[in-house]
Amino acid sequence: MTEQPQLQLITERLLLRPFTLSDAPVVQRLAGASEIADTTTNIPHPYPEGAAAAWIAGHATQIAAGTNYPFAIIRRADETLVGAIELHVQPAHHRAEMGYWIGVPYWRQGYATEAARRVIAFGFDTLGLNRIYATYFTRNPASRRVMEKAGMRYEGTLREWIRHADRYEDCGICAILRKDYEQAV
Ligand SMILES: CC(C)(COP(=O)(O)OP(=O)(O)OC[C@H]1O[C@@H](n2cnc3c(N)ncnc32)[C@H](O)[C@@H]1OP(=O)(O)O)[C@@H](O)C(=O)NCCC(=O)NCCS
């Protein structure tokens, strides 16, 4: 794995870059929407005051340790922060779990798909991973669609895998292997 990867990733419409503390107010507002908490595992609702700043403050250590690569998703045209995407690395297995959210005002414009494709390329080309996977609540087909459009394959459903807001959620899992990725590019 590379020691200090380049963490500014460009796509046609987006810049993916590490968060800074000045992003906290926007993250607080976007991640605080109930629609985001509804289909994610680790975002509480109500989103506590200061939670965004605390989350961002932890990133530098995670990146330095190579255990997590969180990126702010910035729309290049107007430098608006529209969401977040991250790769949680499990180094022993050369594997990572991808997670993401897009702020509600920016849904259905292809941003999640565009960001996921770029982060998958980063995971294989820069981090040297062998497998990237992601899970989604089965009642959230949009997220499965993002994964499949980004080249991941549905592998199955983990029944009642997550307890979320006092209810058990069935979770689908999708993944892409290095060999799939190399065949596709
Ligand atoms: C899921 C989420 C990331 C999708 O982001 P997005 O930027 O709107 O997704 P995209 O625009 O790239 O859309 C990808 C595909 O999903 C489809 N899609 C998006 N929202 C959808 C919805 N609410 N219902 C059905 N399909 C939807 C799009 O139509 C597109 O498919 P298509 O090209 O075949 O039409 C966003 O809705 C979100 O952040 N939700 C809350 C948090 C969350 O669920 N995160 C993922 C946890 S696993």
Side-chain angles (χ1 to χ4, degrees):
M1 307 235 174
T2 315
E3 280 302 311
Q4 284 178 318
Q6 210 276 98
L7 298 176
Q8 306 272 328
L9 312 180
I10 305 278
T11 69
E12 190 186 338
R13 294 177 298 166
L14 305 173
L15 164 68
L16 311 184
R17 57 139 175 90
F19 283 90
T20 67
L21 276 179
S22 61
D23 298 321
V26 180
V27 172
Q28 187 79 29
R29 176 168 49 83
L30 295 179
S34 61
E35 292 92 333
I36 303 294
D38 181 47
T39 50
T40 49
T41 312
N42 296 320
I43 299 180
H45 191 78
Y47 195 62
E49 200 50 48
W55 178 65
I56 293 169
H59 290 176
T61 310
Q62 297 161 10
I63 292 169
T67 53
N68 189 26
Y69 293 92
F71 293 96
I73 304 174
I74 309 294
R75 182 165 62 192
R76 289 166 58 194
D78 57 3
E79 299 189 352
T80 299
L81 191 159
V82 300
I85 187 162
E86 62 187 1
L87 268 187
H88 276 274
V89 180
Q90 291 139 351
H93 304 288
H94 293 176
R95 160 177 103 191
E97 178 171 8
M98 185 171 68
Y100 47 77
W101 56 263
I102 298 291
V104 178
Y106 312 109
W107 283 9
R108 305 201 83 144
Q109 298 175 54
Y111 294 145
T113 303
E114 194 167 321
R117 286 185 176 136
R118 185 64 189 87
V119 163
I120 287 169
F122 169 78
F124 289 125
D125 296 340
T126 305
L127 300 182
L129 296 172
N130 181 58
R131 172 182 165 92
I132 298 173
Y133 71 100
T135 63
Y136 61 94
F137 296 172
T138 51
R139 62 182 172 82
N140 183 18
S143 193
R144 171 170 174 173
R145 187 80 190 111
V146 168
M147 293 170 198
E148 290 181 329
K149 288 187 79 179
M152 301 171 105
R153 191 189 299 174
Y154 171 75
E155 293 185 333
T157 292
L158 306 162
R159 294 178 308 147
E160 301 192 358
W161 178 245
I162 295 285
R163 187 168 72 87
H164 180 263
D166 273 339
R167 122 179 178 198
Y168 299 113
E169 299 279 358
D170 289 348
C171 290
I173 180 165
C174 290
I176 179 168
L177 303 182
R178 165 174 287 281
K179 58 190 173 197
D180 306 331
Y181 173 74
E182 285 174 348
Q183 245 171 26
V185 289

